[in-house]
Amino acid sequence: MTRKFLHVENFGANIPYYLLPFRFHRINETKEVIVNEVDDFLVVPVGTAAQIIERKINRREDATLYGDLLANFFISEQPIPELIDVLATRYRTKKSFLDHFTSLHIFVISLRCEHTCHYCQVSRVTADKDKFDMGREHINAGIEMMMRSPNPHVTMEFQGGEALLAFDNIVYAVERTKQEAVLRNKKVNYVICTNLAPLTEEILAYCKENAILISTSLDGPEFIHNKNRHKPHSNSYQLAVDGVMKCRQELGEENVSALLTTTNLSLQHPEEIVDEYVNRGFRNIFLRPISPYGFATKNAGKNKYQTTAFLEFYKKALNTIISYNLNGYYIREDYASIILKKMLTPFPVGYVDLQSPAGIINSVIVFNYDGKIYASDEARMLAEMNDFTFLLGDLSVNTYEEIFYGEKSMELAEVFTNESLPGCSDCAFQSYCGADPVFNYTTQGDTWGHRPTSSFCQRNMEIMRHLIELMDSDKKIEKVFRSWITGKTDAIKN
Amino acid sequence: MRTSLTMAIDSRIYSEQVLYKCFYWFSQDYTVDISIGEGSFYNVLIQPNKENTVVDWDTLAEKVKQQLIDFKLRDIVSNETKTIRELIVAKAFACYDIDTTPQTNVSDPVGFIPAII
Ligand code: SF4
C-alpha cells in the first residue's frame, strides 16, 4: 500500500481561516473562555478571542492553539467545514431533550400539611381540610393527559402540601396509572416528595412494591432544619433523618434523595451543612437557592437575601465538597454536576431550570389539587399568591391540545429560548444556561426579564465562571468534577 | 461633583447595534441615553441610577471602551457566521439520514486519502 502526503501548500503558515460560531467571556484577569456552538469550551489567555477574530492566529507559530481551534470547531479552513454534519448531529444531540416533549408530570395530590415552615412556598392549611385534596376526577384527567404525552418515558411526581397525608390518593393514582401505562405502552417513574413525618410501614411497603422514589428535605444540621421546618410539638429533623434511614433500608440508598432549601440561616453555615450530609451518608447534595415564590416573598425579613450572599455560601460549600472528594469521600454537588455535564459531555440534562427552550411545558407540567394546570411548579406557587399569569387551563375543562398548543403556551414560546433573549443571545454561557420566564416575571415583572439586574443571570453566570476557573486552576478538581458526571470514583484517586 | 459622563462614539467604528448591546449591561447601575450627535458620531450620556453615587469616571470610561471592543468582536463573529449557524441548525432539525461515514480527510493525520491512491 502506498501512502501519499497532502500537497505542500496544505502545510503553509498563512492559510486564511474562517470563523465558526463561538462566544467568549472573561473568567479572570488573565484568562477568558471561548465556547462554540455545540458547547465545547477552551480556556485561553485574555485577548485570544480578539486575535482569532482578527485572523492573527498563525498556523505555524501558534500551532497548538490553531490545532485546538480547528479540532474543536472554532475555526475552519473551508467556508463550510467538512464536518458540518458532525456539528449538526452534535447540535441535535444537545437539544434532544425536546425529542419526546413533556416528561415530568407533577400532581399536587393534597395541599394539606402538618408543618408550619416560615418559608413555605404554598399557603399552608390545617391538616384536616379534605377539600384541599385532589379529587378523583382530576386525578383521572391528569393521568389521561400524562398518557397523551408523546414521551414514552414519563415521571409522575406527587407533591403537597404533604403528599403522604393523602396516601390513599397516591395509591389510587398509581394503580390507575399502572393499568393505563400497560395499555399505552408507557414507562412511568413514580416519585413522592415528602417531609417523611407521616411515613408508616405500610407506605414503605407500597413504595417498595411499586419502585416509588422518595424525595425528601434535609436542610442541614438539627438547629437549621428545625428552625426552617417548624412542626408543632415534634422534632422535624429527627423525623426526617429516621425516615431517610428507614427508606434506605427498605428501598435502597439510590431510591432516596434529599433536597436542601437554603435560607438566611443556612447562608451562615455552608461547611456544617455539607458535613451533615456527609455524616448522614449522602453521596450527593443539591445546593439550591431559595425560590422567590409563595410565602417566601412575603417573609422578606427572613428570606430576602442577596444573590451575592448565596454565591458566597455556594462557593464555600462547594469548596468543602471538593475537599471531601479529594480526601477520598465521594459526594457530588448536583447543581454544579448539571452544568458540568453540559460543559464536558455532548449530552443535554433534563433539568427544567436550565433549559432552552425552557423547561416549562416542554419538560414539566403541574396539575394542582383543584384541577388547575400550571406551566411549572413555580407558576403554581405564584397562583397561590393570586397571580394566575401561568395558568394554562383546567383538567375538567380543557383538552390536551388546548393546554400544550394553546394560546398561552404559544405566548410563552416567544420568551422561552435564551438564544433570542437580550443579553443571553451573546452570552458565552448560553448553552449551559436556560430561559426561565416564570422567574423573570416573578422577580422582574415581565417574562422577558432584564439580564443586568436578574438574580437568575447573576447567579448562573458567576457559578459557571467559577466552575471553569476551578477546573482551569487545578487538574485534580477537574478530575473530581468529571467523577461527578461519570459516577466513577476511582478517577479522583489517580 | 461630576454627575455624568458624555462620550462621542464614531458610528463608522461602532454600529448602533453594538452600542445598544454594550450599554444594555450598564443599565443595572446607570441610565444611558444614546442620541445622534454631530457628523458620524453618537452622543452617549451616562448617569448613575442612584443620586449621590460616587463614580470613578475614568474607570467607567475604560470599562465602556473595553466592552465596546468586546461587543464589536461579538458582532463580527455573529455576522460572519450567521449563514453557517443557520445551516447547522437547519441540518440538525431536518428530517434526513446523516451519512454514517462522512466523506472527509480531516481526521486523517498522515494525509492518507483513499480516494487519491
Ligand atoms: S441568563 Fe445570564 S448567564 Fe444565563 S445565558 Fe443569559 S446572560 Fe448568560
Side-chain angles (χ1 to χ4, degrees):
Chain A
M1 187 192 289
T2 50
R3 291 205 153 186
K4 291 185 179 177
F5 288 95
L6 290 174
H7 192 271
V8 67
E9 73 188 20
N10 283 287
F11 303 96
N14 289 321
I15 292 178
Y17 57 82
Y18 300 87
L19 300 180
L20 293 177
F22 74 87
R23 300 176 193 86
F24 61 94
H25 186 94
R26 212 152 290 178
I27 57 165
N28 53 37
E29 293 285 297
T30 55
K31 300 280 183 77
E32 63 192 15
V33 63
I34 52 175
V35 186
N36 71 9
E37 195 63 6
V38 290
D39 294 7
D40 300 325
F41 71 88
L42 287 177
V43 178
V44 288
V46 161
T48 307
Q51 287 183 309
I52 298 168
I53 295 161
E54 289 161 2
R55 307 301 200 277
K56 288 189 180 150
I57 306 295
N58 187 289
R59 192 182 197 195
R60 207 175 273 160
E61 286 158 23
D62 312 297
T64 311
L65 175 63
Y66 189 93
D68 282 347
L69 295 173
L70 201 59
N72 289 292
F73 297 115
F74 287 93
I75 59 170
S76 161
E77 290 181 344
Q78 294 82 28
I80 302 208
E82 294 194 31
L83 292 179
I84 182 130
D85 283 345
V86 174
L87 263 175
T89 309
R90 291 270 318 270
Y91 192 91
R92 192 186 169 96
T93 307
K94 254 178 40 157
K95 300 287 183 188
S96 60
F97 64 89
L98 290 171
D99 286 355
H100 297 302
F101 209 39
T102 326
S103 52
L104 178 59
H105 295 74
I106 296 175
F107 287 69
V108 182
I109 208 76
S110 170
L111 205 62
R112 292 183 287 140
C113 187
E114 18 62 283
H115 272 61
T116 51
C117 311
H118 69 81
Y119 61 80
C120 180
Q121 295 167 341
V122 292
S123 301
R124 52 183 182 258
V125 285
T126 50
D128 55 9
K129 287 190 181 163
D130 274 348
K131 67 173 179 171
F132 289 109
D133 282 12
M134 196 173 197
R136 297 280 156 108
E137 328 75 61
H138 287 146
I139 295 176
N140 296 349
I143 294 170
E144 176 56 29
M145 218 167 252
M146 177 169 74
M147 290 296 148
R148 291 282 314 275
S149 168
N151 201 322
H153 207 127
V154 294
T155 297
M156 185 180 204
E157 182 171 299
F158 299 105
Q159 284 198 11
E162 169 45 50
L164 288 184
L165 291 180
F167 186 63
D168 54 334
N169 258 349
I170 294 180
V171 173
Y172 172 80
V174 171
E175 291 306 315
R176 190 177 173 102
T177 303
K178 273 165 35 183
Q179 289 173 7
E180 292 293 325
V182 174
L183 295 175
R184 321 278 186 105
N185 206 13
K186 275 210 194 306
K187 181 137 186 8
V188 185
N189 287 330
Y190 302 97
V191 181
I192 300 178
C193 300
T194 166
N195 60 37
L196 291 175
L199 189 72
T200 62
E201 296 299 328
E202 180 209 350
I203 293 174
L204 265 178
Y206 187 78
C207 290
K208 187 172 184 182
E209 194 187 318
N210 292 285
I212 298 175
L213 307 180
I214 296 291
S215 171
T216 190
S217 305
L218 182 63
D219 292 349
E222 188 165 355
F223 74 96
I224 299 178
H225 188 96
N226 280 347
K227 180 100 183 159
N228 284 353
R229 296 175 187 269
H230 183 245
K231 182 171 161 63
H233 316 299
S234 37
N235 183 335
S236 176
Y237 168 82
Q238 208 52 53
L239 286 166
V241 167
D242 292 348
V244 166
M245 295 306 158
K246 267 193 229 155
C247 289
R248 277 187 184 155
Q249 272 166 15
E250 284 300 313
L251 311 175
E253 210 168 300
E254 65 288 358
N255 295 321
V256 191
S257 65
L259 285 176
L260 170 88
T261 297
T262 315
T263 59
N264 270 340
L265 178 62
S266 346
L267 291 182
Q268 297 150 32
H269 304 281
E271 287 92 359
E272 289 93 326
I273 290 172
V274 175
D275 290 346
E276 174 70 22
Y277 268 70
V278 171
N279 293 339
R280 296 285 156 206
F282 282 99
R283 296 293 178 172
N284 68 312
I285 177 168
F286 199 155
L287 300 172
R288 299 185 307 161
I290 196 166
S291 73
Y293 309 97
F295 273 19
T297 45
K298 292 185 202 158
N299 199 339
K302 275 185 179 169
N303 285 327
K304 199 172 175 195
Y305 62 86
Q306 298 288 317
T307 310
T308 341
F310 172 76
L311 286 168
E312 205 176 300
F313 159 84
Y314 182 87
K315 287 179 193 172
K316 279 188 191 155
L318 187 68
N319 213 12
T320 312
I321 296 167
I322 292 170
S323 301
Y324 268 113
N325 283 278
L326 291 174
N327 291 326
Y329 182 87
Y330 177 90
I331 177 164
R332 175 186 86 216
E333 199 285 296
D334 285 335
Y335 199 70
S337 304
I338 290 161
I339 295 167
L340 290 164
K341 189 172 175 199
K342 291 178 176 222
M343 287 177 171
L344 300 171
T345 80
F347 305 110
V349 188
Y351 178 63
V352 295
D353 291 358
L354 289 180
Q355 273 180 212
S356 176
I360 52 167
I361 306 169
N362 296 304
S363 297
V364 63
I365 196 87
V366 178
F367 306 134
N368 208 7
Y369 71 101
D370 55 2
K372 297 282 186 272
I373 304 172
Y374 293 101
S376 70
D377 205 26
E378 290 73 20
R380 186 244 317 187
M381 291 164 190
L382 207 55
E384 293 297 335
M385 299 164 74
N386 289 321
D387 186 328
F388 300 97
T389 307
F390 300 97
L391 171 67
L392 300 177
D394 194 307
L395 279 170
S396 44
V397 178
N398 299 105
T399 62
Y400 182 88
E401 284 71 20
E402 284 167 354
I403 297 300
F404 289 87
Y405 304 110
E407 223 171 271
K408 201 62 158 257
S409 297
M410 294 303 148
E411 244 173 61
L412 289 172
E414 292 265 315
V415 287
F416 71 25
T417 48
N418 67 1
E419 284 89 342
S420 59
L421 289 180
C424 302
S425 64
D426 286 307
C427 176
F429 301 137
Q430 182 195 91
S431 49
Y432 309 138
C433 198
D436 196 341
V438 185
F439 189 97
N440 292 343
Y441 175 82
T442 309
T443 55
Q444 302 190 310
D446 78 275
T447 49
W448 289 86
H450 179 246
R451 250 52 63 199
T453 49
S454 153
S455 50
F456 176 88
C457 178
Q458 193 191 343
R459 168 167 33 97
N460 286 323
M461 198 180 270
E462 180 52 19
I463 290 179
M464 289 167 191
R465 187 206 65 77
H466 185 62
L467 292 175
I468 292 175
E469 189 178 41
L470 282 175
M471 279 191 279
D472 184 59
S473 68
D474 188 343
K475 287 293 151 205
K476 279 194 266 152
I477 295 181
E478 188 186 329
K479 274 189 178 172
V480 169
F481 285 175
R482 286 189 184 274
S483 78
W484 292 357
I485 299 168
T486 59
K488 286 183 187 154
T489 49
D490 48 333
I492 53 175
K493 290 177 196 141
N494 299 325
Chain B
M1 191 176 81
R2 189 172 177 177
T3 55
S4 67
L5 174 71
T6 309
M7 297 177 97
I9 296 171
D10 196 334
S11 65
R12 288 167 302 185
I13 302 174
Y14 298 109
S15 69
E16 188 179 340
Q17 181 166 317
V18 168
L19 249 60
Y20 276 97
K21 285 190 172 189
C22 170
F23 286 110
Y24 176 71
W25 286 100
F26 287 85
S27 58
Q28 176 173 18
D29 300 317
Y30 303 94
T31 305
V32 181
D33 283 314
I34 301 174
S35 55
I36 311 269
E38 281 180 22
S40 59
F41 285 83
Y42 287 109
N43 280 338
V44 179
L45 175 70
I46 309 172
Q47 292 166 298
N49 286 335
K50 287 191 197 126
E51 272 179 43
N52 302 324
T53 311
V54 181
V55 179
D56 178 345
W57 297 103
D58 290 339
T59 309
L60 180 67
E62 279 310 308
K63 206 173 160 197
V64 168
K65 283 184 206 163
Q66 181 59 58
Q67 290 288 323
L68 277 171
I69 294 171
D70 282 358
F71 276 96
K72 170 147 184 158
L73 290 169
R74 291 184 178 110
D75 200 49
I76 295 171
V77 184
S78 163
N79 289 335
E80 279 189 32
T81 62
K82 189 169 178 283
T83 316
I84 193 85
R85 193 162 181 244
E86 282 166 5
L87 199 59
I88 294 168
V89 178
K91 273 177 168 275
F93 297 113
C95 297
Y96 76 109
D97 287 329
I98 292 169
D99 274 353
T100 41
T101 46
Q103 293 301 304
T104 171
N105 61 351
V106 169
S107 57
D108 180 21
V110 292
F112 171 59
I113 306 169
I116 61 169
I117 294 171

